Amino acid sequence: FPVTIHLWSICIHDEHLLIVPRSQARVLWVISWFPLVGGIISTTRGFHDFATLSYTGTLSSLMYWWFPVRGWRRNFDMLTVQVCLWWHLYRSLSSTMWPLYYMWMGFGSAFYLMGTYMSAKGMITCGTVLHICVHICANIGNISLYLSDVKRIA
């Protein structure tokens, strides 16, 4: 923990660069650990493509939300999330639970759009809460997909 505290304090002088207040960034950083659950489930079920994407998404989000500023880490996280989302959408078509998965992705997408709008209007806390909802919906959707009968990749 001393290393964690030290790393958080390194960037105190750059606080004005954060896209959300530090307290909200910490919450989003903690939420970014949740895809590990999906990664573990998909690993145990033998879905190594989903597992790889879950772990990669977790790492990219943790890297970004540690100190969320505009730059390459943000771009990398957004690209990673898009690749993961499109792959999951494609693979879910062979799932028995695709309607449930698409429902959760629909909720998550709506929260994302509302959160982006709220943040653009200066309502950062509301935008952050809605972004947390995006993470929750995406993780529930992914776990429902991993627990379903998805066609195996040869």
Side-chain angles (χ1 to χ4, degrees):
F1 288 110
V3 172
T4 304
I5 293 168
H6 177 67
L7 289 174
W8 271 107
S9 65
I10 286 174
C11 303
I12 297 270
H13 64 282
D14 292 332
E15 191 85 20
H16 66 283
L17 298 174
L18 295 175
I19 65 163
V20 296
R22 184 171 297 283
S23 61
Q24 294 176 21
R26 286 182 183 158
V27 172
L28 286 160
W29 186 80
V30 169
I31 293 291
S32 294
W33 285 94
F34 289 6
L36 286 180
V37 174
I40 292 167
I41 291 170
S42 56
T43 298
T44 59
R45 301 239 21 235
F47 296 121
H48 301 297
D49 56 331
F50 291 142
T52 301
L53 292 173
S54 291
Y55 299 137
T56 304
T58 299
L59 291 174
S60 71
S61 288
L62 290 172
M63 259 184 5
Y64 176 63
W65 288 111
W66 184 259
F67 191 70
V69 296
R70 298 192 186 280
W72 75 268
R73 290 180 303 112
R74 180 176 189 257
N75 296 338
F76 179 73
D77 185 44
M78 292 174 74
L79 176 65
T80 302
V81 168
Q82 289 175 27
V83 168
C84 292
L85 174 63
W86 286 110
W87 181 254
H88 280 71
L89 288 170
Y90 169 71
R91 291 273 282 124
S92 69
L93 294 174
S94 69
S95 167
T96 56
M97 298 294 282
W98 71 266
L100 180 64
Y101 176 75
Y102 272 75
M103 180 192 75
W104 282 111
M105 293 304 107
F107 289 151
S109 297
F111 284 128
Y112 179 79
L113 293 172
M114 289 186 294
T116 301
Y117 176 79
M118 293 299 190
S119 293
K121 293 292 183 185
M123 295 182 256
I124 304 299
T125 301
C126 182
T128 299
V129 169
L130 290 166
H131 193 81
I132 290 168
C133 292
V134 172
H135 283 257
I136 292 169
C137 289
N139 283 292
I140 292 172
N142 287 345
I143 290 170
S144 70
L145 180 62
Y146 305 154
L147 292 174
S148 71
D149 294 323
V150 182
K151 183 179 177 183
R152 303 278 173 183
I153 296 178

